[in-house]
Amino acid sequence: MTVAPPVGSTTTPAPALPLSGLLALCTAAFTAVMTELLPAGLLPRMAADLSVSEGRVGFLVTGYALASFLAAIPLTAALRGLPRRPVLIGALVGFACCNAVTALSSAYALTFVARLAAGVMGGLMWAMLVGYAARMVPAERRGRAIAIVLAGIALALSLGVPAGTALADALGWRTVFALLTVIALLLVGWVRWRVPGFPGEAAGARVPLHRVAALPGIATVLSVTLLLLLGHQVMYTYVAPFAEHVGFGHTGLVLLVFGAATVVGIWITGILVDTHLRRMLLTALATIACALLALGLYASSPAVLLVSVVLWGAAFGGAPTLIQTALVDASGPVNADVATSLQTTVYNAGIAAGSLTGGLVLEGAGAGALSWTALPLIAAALTVVAAGHRRAFPVRRPAVSRPKTAVTANGPRS
C-alpha cells in the first residue's frame, strides 16, 4: 500500500551538484594560479637560462599581474555578447600557447611578452569562473559551487607551487611549463565535454558596466575585497623577514602551514556558505584580526606563531568564496561576469598596494610593524561587513529568499 505525501509537502531531493563540470573549472583556477606564481619559485633557474637577473625574472610575475589588472574589465565587457563556453575555451587555449612559448623561449623579451599575454588570459578567466559556477547550480547551492571552483587557488598555493618547484629541481623549469601547457589542452576537452554552454548577453539586455557597479551592495563588497587584500598582502608578502625578525628561521614551514590551513578553510566554507554567509565572513575577518594581534604581541613564541598562522590561513582560505558569493548575490548570476571583472581588478590592486605598503613599512619601521599595519585594515573590513547588513551582507541572503525585483539594462523591473 502506497501512502501519498501530504498536500503541499516536497519530496523531490535537491539536485546533485554538476561535480565534473565544477571540478573542470576548479582545475582551470588551479592552472591560472600556477601559471601566475610559478616563476617566483624558479627565480635562480630561469635567471640563469634567460641570462638575466633574478629581479628581472620576478618582473615576469609583476607583468602577468599588471596585464590581468588592465585587461579584466575591458575584455570582459567586449566579450559579454559571445557564448560563454567558447570564450572559456579560448582563454584555456591562450594559456596553453603562452606556457608553451615560455617553455621554449630562450629570450627574455619573448618570455615577457608571453607572460603579458598569459596575464590577459588570466584576467578574462577570473572574471568568468565564479559567474559560470553560479549559473550551473540552483541559487541555494551557489556558495558551495563557488567554493569548489575556488578550491583550485588553495590547491595551487599549498600543493601545486611546491610540487612544481620540486619537479623543476628534478627535470628543469621548462618541463613544468610544458606540463602546464598539456594540462590546459586537456582542460579544453574536459570543458567541452562536461561544462554546459551558456549564451552571451543580448545587446539590448546587457546592463551597462557603470550600472552593474552601482547596483546596491556592489561597492560595499568591493571595498571589503580591497581592505582584505591590502591587509593580507602587507603581512603575507613579507612572511620571511617577519619570521626572521621573531627568531623563527623556518619560513618554508610557515608557508606550508598557511597553505594547508587555507584548504581546511575552503572545505569548511563550502559546507556552510549557503546558510551562514554573513556569520562566517564576520568570523573569518575577526579570526584574521585576532591572529594578527597575536603575531604582533607574542610571535616570538614558535607555538603562538604557528597557531596564529593556522588561524590566519583557515580564515583567509574561506574569505574569497564568501566575498565572491556575496558579490554574485548582489549582482545576480547574469551580471556576475562583469561584477567579477570589477572584483578581479580590485583584487589585483589590493595585492599590488598591499605589497608596496608592506615593503615601505619593512624598510621604514621594520618587520615588527607589519602586523600592526595589517591589523587596522582587517578591522576596517570587519566594520564594513558588520555595517553592510542590508544590501551587501544581509542576514538573509537574497539568493535564498529570491527577491521580487530584478535589474535589467533599462533599470529595475518588478
Side-chain angles (χ1 to χ4, degrees), residues 28-67:
F30 175 90
T31 303
V33 173
M34 288 290 291
T35 299
E36 179 175 6
L37 298 182
L38 195 57
L42 307 176
L43 292 180
R45 303 168 191 81
M46 294 185 71
D49 271 9
L50 297 175
S51 301
V52 295
S53 67
E54 292 185 12
R56 293 186 68 188
V57 174
F59 291 156
L60 297 179
V61 178
T62 305
Y64 181 107
L66 180 62

Side-chain angles (χ1 to χ4, degrees), residues 20-383:
S20 181
L22 292 173
L23 288 176
L25 299 181
C26 173
T27 307
F30 175 90
T31 303
V33 173
M34 288 290 291
T35 299
E36 179 175 6
L37 298 182
L38 195 57
L42 307 176
L43 292 180
R45 303 168 191 81
M46 294 185 71
D49 271 9
L50 297 175
S51 301
V52 295
S53 67
E54 292 185 12
R56 293 186 68 188
V57 174
F59 291 156
L60 297 179
V61 178
T62 305
Y64 181 107
L66 180 62
S68 181
F69 170 82
L70 295 174
I73 293 176
L75 198 56
T76 299
L79 299 178
R80 290 171 71 185
L82 298 181
R84 298 291 82 196
R85 187 166 60 189
V87 175
L88 178 58
I89 288 175
L92 290 170
V93 172
F95 266 124
C97 293
C98 294
N99 284 326
V101 170
T102 302
L104 296 173
S105 171
S106 58
Y108 177 80
L110 177 59
T111 303
F112 191 81
V113 170
R115 294 290 298 174
L116 292 177
V120 171
M121 297 300 107
L124 175 61
M125 182 177 291
W126 284 119
M128 292 186 65
L129 289 179
V130 170
Y132 222 123
R135 295 175 72 175
M136 288 171 62
V137 298
E140 62 272 13
R141 309 197 77 180
R142 186 181 296 159
R144 183 167 297 187
I146 292 173
I148 291 172
V149 173
L150 295 185
I153 300 174
L155 291 173
L157 292 174
S158 61
L159 299 176
V161 173
T165 303
L167 185 63
D169 286 338
L171 301 177
W173 66 269
R174 297 181 186 277
T175 302
V176 182
F177 280 99
L179 182 59
L180 287 175
T181 301
V182 172
I183 291 174
L185 292 175
L186 291 175
L187 261 176
V188 169
W190 191 357
V191 168
R192 184 67 183 85
W193 177 44
R194 301 302 296 175
V195 174
F198 294 115
E201 298 178 53
R206 295 177 206 165
V207 181
L209 178 65
H210 71 275
R211 189 166 289 160
V212 173
L215 287 172
I218 296 292
T220 304
V221 176
L222 294 179
S223 67
V224 172
T225 302
L226 180 61
L227 289 168
L228 173 63
L229 265 296
L230 278 170
H232 171 74
Q233 287 299 131
V234 163
M235 193 70 192
Y236 183 79
T237 307
Y238 303 99
V239 162
F242 181 84
E244 182 179 352
H245 168 74
V246 299
F248 191 84
H250 308 287
T251 303
L253 177 60
V254 173
L255 294 175
L256 178 63
V257 167
F258 182 90
T262 62
V263 176
V264 175
I266 285 184
W267 177 71
I268 295 173
T269 300
I271 295 173
L272 300 176
V273 58
D274 287 314
T275 52
H276 302 289
L277 188 155
R278 175 180 170 81
R279 187 177 303 173
M280 287 197 67
L281 185 54
L282 288 169
T283 301
L285 292 172
T287 301
I288 295 173
C290 290
L292 290 172
L293 180 62
L295 289 173
L297 293 173
Y298 307 112
S300 57
S301 165
V304 172
L305 174 65
L306 292 177
V307 170
S308 298
V309 169
V310 167
L311 293 174
W312 172 24
F316 183 79
T321 296
L322 297 166
I323 292 175
Q324 293 205 322
T325 302
L327 185 75
V328 176
D329 284 352
S331 69
V334 173
N335 299 317
D337 285 2
V338 174
T340 308
S341 73
L342 295 170
Q343 191 176 47
T344 299
T345 300
V346 171
Y347 203 93
N348 282 298
I351 291 174
S355 300
L356 175 62
T357 301
L360 294 175
V361 170
L362 181 66
E363 292 295 323
L370 291 170
S371 60
W372 300 112
T373 304
L375 179 57
L377 295 167
I378 300 300
L382 178 62
T383 302

